Amino acid sequence: MASTPEDGEPSPGQAAPAATTPPGRPPASGAVAPAARMPRWLPRAMVLALALIAAFQLGSWAFHQLTGLLINILIAFFLALAIEPAVSRMAARGMRRGLATFLVFLGLTVFAAGFVTLLGSMLAGQIIKMIEGFPGYLDSLIHWINQTFRTDLRRVDIQEGLLHSDWLRKYVQNSAAGVLDVSAQVLGGLFQLLTIALFSFYFAADGPRLRRALCSVLPPARQAEVLRAWEIAVDKTGGYLYSRGLMALISGIAHYVLLEALGVPYAPVLGVWVGLVSQFIPTIGTYLAGALPMLIAFTVNPWYSLWVLIFVVIYQQFENYMLQPKLTARTVDIHPAVAFGSVVAGTALLGAVGALIAIPAVATLQAFLGAYVKRYAVTDDPRVHGRRGSGPGGPGMLTRMRRLWAGRRSGGAQRP
């Protein structure tokens, strides 16, 4: 019998079909199939993302390192805006702008130096007087305690107890160790003040050049907007300083009257001190301003310092809720609630600096954006003026009750 080919295998004389492909072999156990190829854009995207993260971290680090310098520049800019009217007025009369700026700064420096020198000499004299009279104050206090609480205290025992106490020894050691820290803070404050003065001098002296440099990179339409915003900032900053100066004058006069009535020495100088410090040093200015009159009043009579403290607290509340909102609203042209909110927000963001520049910054922004807000005529509705009238559903309940009562009265009057 002739052998037959196996099933599925072609005979030698037959050719395999051309379109037939040999079946693929299954992968062996444990073998891994080849992975898909990585997209070409993925490495570039990863590198770009890493570069952006690195740039953000670098920018954040640089911003935190330069925060102090940026705040000083911001203060210097607003200071330059404050003295811009005086410098421009002197420059318009033919004086060089740099010389005009120098004269303005010289006048401010002389005034500040003279005021600080006068206060320093007065304070030193009062401290010496208080130290010389301290034993008398202590004797009177011990006498009052002995009479009130039936005790037998002596000044010698109290002095010996203080001199041999551990508290005094630790206090002296900590004070000696903190002298270097205080010196470093004083030097840092002087350097910061010098930085602010230098930048403000350049901003005021080179104001036109700075405006030209800023406008040179903007189209003509934007240039007009920038110049308009600059002029608004100058006006609002000047108005803010005017309001602060007026409040300083009122505060100084009020405290002068009190100190003169109490017989406290140097009442005029102390009044000027309270007015300037309380208005131009935000947040802590009130406490610094009231501490010095209390100290001087203590040298006259210890109870006078208490009266000064009570007056300072009451006047501060009157100024915060009555005087300051009205003056700020008239000079800076912003709502009192907006002024108060801007001070709170500025304090939260930048501390004392934010509280000082918040109102002129918000007033400038409000006046600048006001030109781009479209306004419409207000409808003549009683509710606009705060009066409740008839709504869409007819007369109100009060009106209907009045008509019903009038109808009843008229009906009762017509009866025989």
Side-chain angles (χ1 to χ4, degrees), residues 186-211:
V186 170
L187 292 177
L190 292 177
F191 179 76
Q192 183 179 5
L193 184 62
L194 180 61
T195 303
I196 294 174
L198 185 62
F199 275 106
S200 59
F201 179 84
Y202 284 142
F203 285 152
D206 294 339
R209 186 183 303 175
L210 181 61
R211 288 191 286 268

Side-chain angles (χ1 to χ4, degrees), residues 223-241:
Q223 293 178 12
E225 295 178 359
V226 169
L227 295 177
R228 180 174 174 273
W230 194 292
E231 292 298 325
I232 291 176
V234 171
D235 294 338
K236 296 302 179 181
T237 305
Y240 173 71
L241 290 180

Side-chain angles (χ1 to χ4, degrees), residues 106-122 269 272-273 276:
L106 181 62
L108 293 176
T109 304
V110 170
F111 174 77
F115 184 69
V116 170
T117 303
L118 181 61
L119 281 177
S121 61
M122 179 194 66
V269 180
V272 175
W273 161 266
L276 293 179

Side-chain angles (χ1 to χ4, degrees), residues 17-311:
T20 302
T21 57
R25 296 181 179 180
S29 60
V32 180
R37 295 181 59 185
M38 181 184 297
R40 296 181 177 179
W41 56 267
L42 186 57
R44 298 180 180 177
M46 294 175 63
V47 172
L48 180 60
L50 292 177
L52 291 177
I53 293 175
F56 176 77
Q57 294 292 337
L58 181 62
S60 177
W61 172 81
F63 178 78
H64 286 293
Q65 295 295 323
L66 298 176
T67 301
L69 178 62
L70 295 177
I71 292 177
N72 292 337
I73 293 176
L74 184 62
I75 298 174
F77 178 72
F78 276 94
L79 181 60
L81 291 179
I83 65 174
E84 175 78 16
V87 174
S88 299
R89 191 176 296 110
M90 296 172 67
R93 296 181 178 180
M95 186 180 297
R96 295 181 57 184
R97 193 173 182 87
L99 180 59
T101 307
F102 174 76
L103 292 178
V104 172
F105 269 90
L106 181 62
L108 293 176
T109 304
V110 170
F111 174 77
F115 184 69
V116 170
T117 303
L118 181 61
L119 281 177
S121 61
M122 179 194 66
L123 183 60
Q126 293 299 318
I127 290 177
I128 294 174
K129 181 179 178 182
M130 186 176 63
I131 292 175
E132 292 177 351
F134 182 76
Y137 297 140
L138 186 59
D139 289 337
S140 62
L141 179 61
I142 292 173
H143 180 69
W144 178 80
I145 292 175
N146 290 334
Q147 286 185 347
T148 305
F149 300 100
R150 304 298 180 180
T151 58
D152 190 15
L153 297 177
R154 294 185 304 172
R155 179 159 58 92
V156 178
D157 298 335
I158 296 176
Q159 291 177 351
E160 290 181 355
L162 289 176
L163 292 176
H164 294 87
S165 63
D166 295 335
W167 173 82
L168 182 61
R169 180 176 54 84
K170 293 180 180 179
Y171 178 77
V172 171
Q173 291 177 355
N174 295 331
S175 299
V179 170
L180 294 178
D181 296 336
V182 174
S183 301
Q185 292 179 1
V186 170
L187 292 177
L190 292 177
F191 179 76
Q192 183 179 5
L193 184 62
L194 180 61
T195 303
I196 294 174
L198 185 62
F199 275 106
S200 59
F201 179 84
Y202 284 142
F203 285 152
D206 294 339
R209 186 183 303 175
L210 181 61
R211 288 191 286 268
R212 286 196 300 268
L214 185 60
C215 292
S216 63
V217 296
L218 298 174
R222 299 296 180 185
Q223 293 178 12
E225 295 178 359
V226 169
L227 295 177
R228 180 174 174 273
W230 194 292
E231 292 298 325
I232 291 176
V234 171
D235 294 338
K236 296 302 179 181
T237 305
Y240 173 71
L241 290 180
Y242 171 75
S243 64
R244 284 291 176 178
L246 187 58
M247 286 190 294
L249 178 62
I250 297 174
S251 176
I253 293 175
H255 288 85
Y256 163 73
V257 171
L258 173 69
L259 297 175
E260 189 69 25
L262 294 177
V264 178
Y266 305 104
V269 180
L270 291 176
V272 175
W273 161 266
V274 173
L276 293 179
V277 175
S278 62
Q279 301 303 323
F280 292 98
I281 298 181
T283 307
I284 62 173
T286 302
Y287 308 103
L288 292 177
L292 184 58
M294 289 176 57
L295 180 63
I296 306 301
F298 185 84
T299 60
V300 179
N301 190 335
W303 290 105
Y304 286 175
S305 61
L306 180 61
W307 287 110
V308 173
L309 175 62
I310 295 174
F311 182 82

